[in-house]
Amino acid sequence: MWSWVAVSLSGIGAVSGTKQGHRTQSLFYKVLTFALLAAMVLTQAPSVEFSYWVIAGLLVSAVADSFHTLTKKRSLYFLCFLVAQLCYSKSFWLQLSGEFVWWLLALLLAASVVAFFLLLPQLDKVVFPVVIMGIMLIQLTWAAGEVWLVDPKLEHALGLMGCIVLALSALASALNRYRKPIARAYMWVTGSYFLAHGLIVASVVV
């Protein structure tokens, strides 16, 4: 329990730093939050391959946020963000065997198409990166959903929720930047971002 309290306080520090524009404070608490989550997986999760992929996702996410804060090269942040999602999705795909549930993929694709056309008028030159990120988030959520459908346990539900929240966080960030500014965007985007990672970690330590 105390480990989750520490993660929550660190996450609040990151949100507070983002709100006040303190880049150093925000980055410190972001990296600390990822480090605490990785330590939880190392000490509390079973020693299986998919747990190590979750740790890899956390470490790459920490690198991504470092690039996002310290450099103006968004391509580095974007690439790391995609790699982190690949690591998370690998952890879910490893837990699967047998046939896929195609209606879940169809549902996710339909929702993504709606979101894409909602943003399309403002995307202009960033259409390609948005499409790539959308594809990555779809396959990540699909993988987590497949795991839950095959074995509907609490931990698998938490993993699916984490992936959904991560997708919604990315959507909120895109809407805030390209469509219409969202009130208290720093809280919704950063808060939901860390909640998503926390839920994915919970899926392997619960």
Side-chain angles (χ1 to χ4, degrees), residues 110-123 130 171-172 174-176 178-180:
S112 299
V113 168
V114 173
F116 176 76
F117 282 105
L118 181 67
L119 291 170
L120 185 59
Q122 280 73 33
L123 293 179
V130 169
L171 177 60
L175 287 172
N176 181 66
Y178 301 116
R179 184 74 175 182
K180 181 180 180 182

Side-chain angles (χ1 to χ4, degrees), residues 30-177:
K30 285 179 179 179
V31 174
L32 178 60
T33 302
F34 286 121
L36 290 172
L37 288 171
M40 288 177 62
V41 179
L42 277 172
T43 57
Q44 300 179 31
S47 297
V48 290
E49 186 177 357
F50 65 80
S51 295
Y52 297 123
W53 281 104
V54 171
I55 294 173
L58 292 167
L59 296 179
V60 175
S61 295
V63 174
D65 275 316
S66 298
F67 281 135
H68 186 259
T69 303
L70 299 176
T71 179
K72 294 182 179 180
K73 295 182 179 180
R74 293 182 178 177
S75 58
L76 294 175
Y77 164 74
F78 180 75
L79 179 61
C80 288
F81 187 73
L82 294 181
V83 173
Q85 292 177 51
L86 278 175
C87 292
Y88 285 145
S89 60
K90 178 68 174 180
S91 72
F92 289 111
W93 289 122
L94 284 172
Q95 301 175 59
L96 286 170
S97 61
E99 298 182 356
F100 296 137
V101 181
W102 295 105
W103 66 261
L104 177 60
L105 176 60
L107 179 62
L108 292 171
L109 286 172
S112 299
V113 168
V114 173
F116 176 76
F117 282 105
L118 181 67
L119 291 170
L120 185 59
Q122 280 73 33
L123 293 179
D124 195 17
K125 296 181 180 180
V126 295
V127 170
F128 182 71
V130 169
V131 170
I132 295 299
M133 182 177 292
I135 292 172
M136 294 299 295
L137 288 168
I138 288 172
Q139 67 86 26
L140 172 60
T141 308
W142 181 31
E146 290 279 354
V147 173
W148 177 71
L149 288 172
V150 171
D151 190 9
K153 295 180 179 179
L154 173 61
E155 57 265 34
H156 298 155
L158 291 174
L160 175 58
M161 289 172 58
C163 294
I164 293 174
V165 172
L166 185 62
L168 291 175
S169 177
L171 177 60
S173 179
L175 287 172
N176 181 66
R177 176 173 297 178

